[in-house]
Amino acid sequence: MPNEQPAPINGLTPFNAEDPTTHRWSDLPHYKGVSTVGCVDRDDIGSWLSGPGVARDTESASDYAGQRLGLPESGAGSAAPWGLRIGAIFIDWFVALGITLAVVGQPAEGDPGFSLIVLGVFALEYVVLLYTAGRTLGMVATGLRVLPVGRNNLGIGFVLLRTFLLALVLPAVVYDRDRRGFHDRAGRTVVVRSR
């Protein structure tokens, strides 16, 4: 029942910005007398991904991923699309898996330590290749490169932080409009197309 109206709460219909007959939380009886001065609605601050103080209506239709960073809209140097980034990670994971199988051999049935070894090899590959070449084997295959933001080189500390957060997976799926995951923002990097 997608068009069904929500049930009234204390005789008031829950707030709906598109329906002027509904009420805000401050109109509910248990909030009577509570000052709403200084309170802000989500519409006042925009999306939590866009950062504090950025209202949604300030983003125009002409904005594109990477524009705020001075990247071109398309071609070499533009913000990398998610499909290529995910493809690069899969390639790097299979390289790490292959190296682990070659060195350690076939894992025992139900061995949880094997996955941690693969993750360690994956992280080592990322740190060594990003710090020395600015790209991993998967990034070379998919035509991507990692660039520093606001400085001249990647720096080992930022590479270690970025790799640690990437290994946690969750920060990689939290991203902004420039297609920078939390691990990119913390590591002060951006992934771009190299061709």
Side-chain angles (χ1 to χ4, degrees):
M1 308 193 190
N3 293 333
E4 188 176 286
Q5 290 291 328
I9 301 171
N10 294 331
L12 298 173
T13 306
F15 179 69
N16 178 349
E18 296 169 3
D19 183 1
T21 63
T22 61
H23 304 279
R24 293 183 181 271
W25 63 268
S26 59
D27 293 333
L28 295 174
H30 53 282
Y31 283 107
K32 289 295 182 200
V34 175
S35 171
T36 58
V37 175
C39 294
V40 267
D41 289 333
R42 185 170 187 265
D43 291 336
D44 297 331
I45 59 172
S47 168
W48 67 277
L49 291 175
S50 60
V54 178
R56 279 184 249 158
D57 59 354
T58 61
E59 298 175 24
S60 68
S62 65
D63 288 350
Y64 60 87
Q67 183 176 16
R68 295 182 310 161
L69 301 172
L71 301 177
E73 188 169 2
S74 61
S78 64
W82 289 112
L84 292 178
R85 291 183 71 164
I86 291 170
I89 286 178
F90 274 110
I91 292 169
D92 289 327
W93 185 262
F94 283 112
V95 167
L97 179 62
I99 291 171
T100 305
L101 284 171
V103 172
V104 177
Q106 190 69 23
E109 184 72 28
D111 181 15
F114 184 78
S115 296
L116 291 175
I117 294 171
V118 175
L119 182 61
V121 171
F122 176 82
L124 183 64
E125 172 198 355
Y126 250 74
V127 168
V128 170
L129 293 177
L130 275 184
Y131 184 66
T132 59
R135 56 201 325 193
T136 64
L137 297 174
M139 290 179 190
V140 170
T142 56
L144 302 179
R145 176 174 205 79
V146 176
L147 296 177
V149 174
R151 55 190 202 285
N152 294 331
N153 59 28
L154 289 174
I156 189 68
F158 290 111
V159 169
L160 287 169
L161 176 62
R162 184 184 188 282
T163 303
F164 173 74
L165 291 173
L166 180 63
L168 294 179
V169 177
L170 182 61
V173 297
V174 177
Y175 57 90
D176 64 11
R177 66 181 177 183
D178 292 317
R179 295 189 193 131
R180 293 173 68 206
F182 182 72
H183 65 297
D184 290 316
R185 291 180 64 97
R188 294 173 51 197
T189 60
V190 62
V191 180
V192 298
R193 290 175 180 258
S194 62
R195 52 181 175 213

